[in-house]
Amino acid sequence: MPKKRRPHDELKPAVLAAARSSVVEGGISAVSARGIAEDVGVSVGTLYNLFGHLDGIIRAMNVVRIAELQVALVAALDAADDEPEARLLAMAEAYFDFALSEPNLWEALFRYSTVTPSGGEIEAAEATLFSLLRRAAGDEAEGGAADESLRTLWAAVHGVVELAMSRRTVGADMDTARYHARLVVMAGLRGYHALRSEGIL
Amino acid sequence: MPKKRRPHDELKPAVLAAARSSVVEGGISAVSARGIAEDVGVSVGTLYNLFGHLDGIIRAMNVVRIAELQVALVAALDAADDEPEARLLAMAEAYFDFALSEPNLWEALFRYSTVTPSGGEIEAAEATLFSLLRRAAGDEAEGGAADESLRTLWAAVHGVVELAMSRRTVGADMDTARYHARLVVMAGLRGYHALRSEGIL
DNA sequence: ATATAAAATGAACTTTGTTCAATTTGACGT
DNA sequence: ACGTCAAATTGAACAAAGTTCATTTTATAT
């Protein structure tokens, strides 16, 4: 059996791609060290040399996926009209579409806390997401209370996405679900203004 | 080794209790067939005679947990003032508290789709939850569009809970997070009314 | 060419979920 | 009382998973 020596920088992406396609096809439970090893054409030991544990592979895969999410959100933001509501709506839809386009990858991202990018990585991702939200909200949101509201708004959008995910939404239902994601943003903005004018916020 | 013969009706709850305490202590990954068997004082084979698969045990455990959730929500609803907003706020808080009181059980409920009560059971649970929401909303919500809005509102509340969960919220942060759950309801209701008066809903 | 370090290997160990033939139990008919 | 028999229980055994590590191979520098 040949033992070609490949530099890690070119081997790691291959491993992550193999892991990803396993997840896409059969969900997280379809991933196995031996399966990936066979797909990449490498032994199990090599995987452990590269990533330490199997969780490390999933984690690294999730880091890549989060980067993709950020790209999608930035694209949506840049394409949207220069108005707070339109921008937030565009981001919510992009978030929704991203999740629903690859449900198994989304599940891998959020449903397995062991496997969620740890510590610094996830905090950095949240910080980036939040800076995008502030850019989207623009002058709509200023100050500390508004930041909290923005975070809460996004949690609400995430909830709608989760609901759509848990129902494995497809077809016409998907359009309805995406509209619900819009609804949350529209109602959230109006509610925010109402609460401010009532002096509650 | 003695082979006492216990009727299933008294053995099953013992198994579920063992599974539950494993989950509470160490999360879903701490559950194992052999572990439960030892705790209950029974062989692995017996577990499989009773539940078919290990997933069946978790599923049954989740069914019990969902019943507990419904009890908690009904209690909150009954204790609240007879006014739509107060009732929805009470339900949101009860939902939040229920999730955060046992994070590992919550995770078992929602984060593992394989293990989520299947088909009829989860639909029945959703139907019950929704009927509670309609009771809470009362005259606030009438007709089909309002039903959808109510469902969306709850998805948003769920999102806030998920965010609090993912941060393993404790202490003072928990009060803030619970307040965010209230915020979603308050803003949601006001936003709903605004959208109606704008003719969007 | 040789030495040396880095990389890759795959056999082996542990721990899972799961199965099933054999064994034990308790109730019922005689 | 006794024997029968279906139901319940057992635990050894299998497959597949994550993980480790002594050994072997490769590439590079001297």
Side-chain angles (χ1 to χ4, degrees):
Chain A
M1 207 127 203
K3 289 190 189 181
K4 246 201 325 220
R5 199 179 179 190
R6 277 188 281 183
H8 281 178
D9 290 348
E10 110 184 23
L11 198 48
K12 273 188 168 180
V15 171
L16 297 185
R20 178 182 171 126
S21 69
S22 287
V23 172
V24 167
E25 283 176 34
I28 266 279
S29 61
V31 184
S32 80
R34 285 177 178 82
I36 293 175
E38 181 147 359
D39 288 352
V40 179
V42 109
S43 75
V44 264
T46 297
L47 297 184
Y48 282 85
N49 289 337
L50 286 178
F51 294 95
H53 298 301
L54 190 63
D55 281 1
I57 298 180
I58 309 291
R59 234 190 300 273
M61 188 194 76
N62 281 341
V63 168
V64 173
R65 188 63 179 156
I66 284 182
E68 292 177 4
L69 170 60
Q70 288 173 354
V71 168
L73 292 178
V74 167
L77 185 49
D78 289 344
D81 286 350
D82 187 14
E83 182 210 349
E85 183 171 16
R87 300 184 134 205
L88 287 171
L89 285 172
M91 279 188 70
E93 284 185 322
Y95 192 74
F96 182 96
D97 290 341
F98 185 85
L100 274 287
S101 70
E102 286 296 352
N104 287 338
L105 291 180
W106 189 258
E107 198 170 9
L109 257 188
F110 286 104
R111 291 179 109 92
Y112 292 81
S113 59
T114 331
V115 130
T116 278
S118 60
E121 278 155 352
I122 201 171
E123 279 168 20
E126 274 186 17
T128 302
L129 170 60
F130 188 66
S131 76
L132 288 177
L133 284 176
R134 286 206 68 168
R135 256 183 65 199
D139 55 327
E140 194 80 2
E142 298 283 341
D147 279 3
E148 286 297 297
S149 299
L150 208 46
R151 236 181 260 277
T152 303
L153 174 64
W154 204 253
V157 170
H158 180 76
V160 173
V161 171
E162 284 290 293
L163 183 64
M165 287 288 305
S166 74
R167 303 212 174 152
R168 301 271 162 189
T169 301
V170 286
D173 285 348
M174 182 137 158
D175 293 336
T176 313
R178 189 196 280 109
Y179 177 66
H180 289 167
R182 291 178 58 91
L183 258 190
V184 164
V185 171
M186 293 189 287
L189 282 179
R190 283 159 179 78
Y192 171 73
H193 289 139
L195 290 175
R196 290 204 62 148
S197 70
E198 289 183 45
I200 297 181
L201 274 179
Chain B
M1 207 123 203
K3 291 191 190 181
K4 249 202 324 225
R5 199 178 181 187
R6 278 187 279 182
H8 280 179
D9 290 348
E10 114 184 21
L11 198 47
K12 273 187 170 183
V15 171
L16 297 184
R20 177 181 171 126
S21 69
S22 287
V23 172
V24 168
E25 283 176 36
I28 265 280
S29 62
V31 183
S32 81
R34 285 175 179 83
I36 293 175
E38 180 148 357
D39 288 353
V40 179
V42 109
S43 76
V44 266
T46 297
L47 297 184
Y48 281 85
N49 289 337
L50 287 179
F51 294 95
H53 298 302
L54 189 63
D55 281 1
I57 297 180
I58 308 292
R59 235 190 300 273
M61 188 192 75
N62 281 340
V63 169
V64 173
R65 189 64 180 157
I66 284 182
E68 291 176 5
L69 170 61
Q70 289 174 353
V71 168
L73 291 178
V74 168
L77 185 50
D78 288 344
D81 287 350
D82 188 13
E83 180 212 349
E85 182 170 17
R87 298 185 136 202
L88 286 172
L89 285 172
M91 278 188 71
E93 284 185 323
Y95 192 73
F96 182 95
D97 291 340
F98 185 85
L100 273 287
S101 70
E102 287 295 352
N104 287 338
L105 291 181
W106 189 257
E107 198 171 9
L109 256 188
F110 286 103
R111 292 179 108 92
Y112 291 79
S113 58
T114 332
V115 130
T116 279
S118 60
E121 277 156 353
I122 202 171
E123 279 168 21
E126 273 187 19
T128 303
L129 170 61
F130 188 66
S131 76
L132 288 177
L133 284 176
R134 286 204 68 168
R135 256 185 64 201
D139 56 327
E140 194 78 1
E142 299 283 341
D147 279 4
E148 287 295 300
S149 299
L150 209 45
R151 237 183 260 277
T152 303
L153 173 65
W154 204 252
V157 170
H158 181 74
V160 173
V161 171
E162 284 290 294
L163 182 63
M165 288 287 305
S166 74
R167 304 214 172 150
R168 301 273 163 187
T169 301
V170 286
D173 285 348
M174 181 137 161
D175 292 336
T176 313
R178 189 194 281 109
Y179 177 66
H180 289 168
R182 291 178 57 92
L183 259 190
V184 165
V185 172
M186 293 189 288
L189 282 178
R190 282 159 180 79
Y192 171 74
H193 289 138
L195 290 175
R196 291 205 62 149
S197 68
E198 289 181 45
I200 298 182
L201 274 181

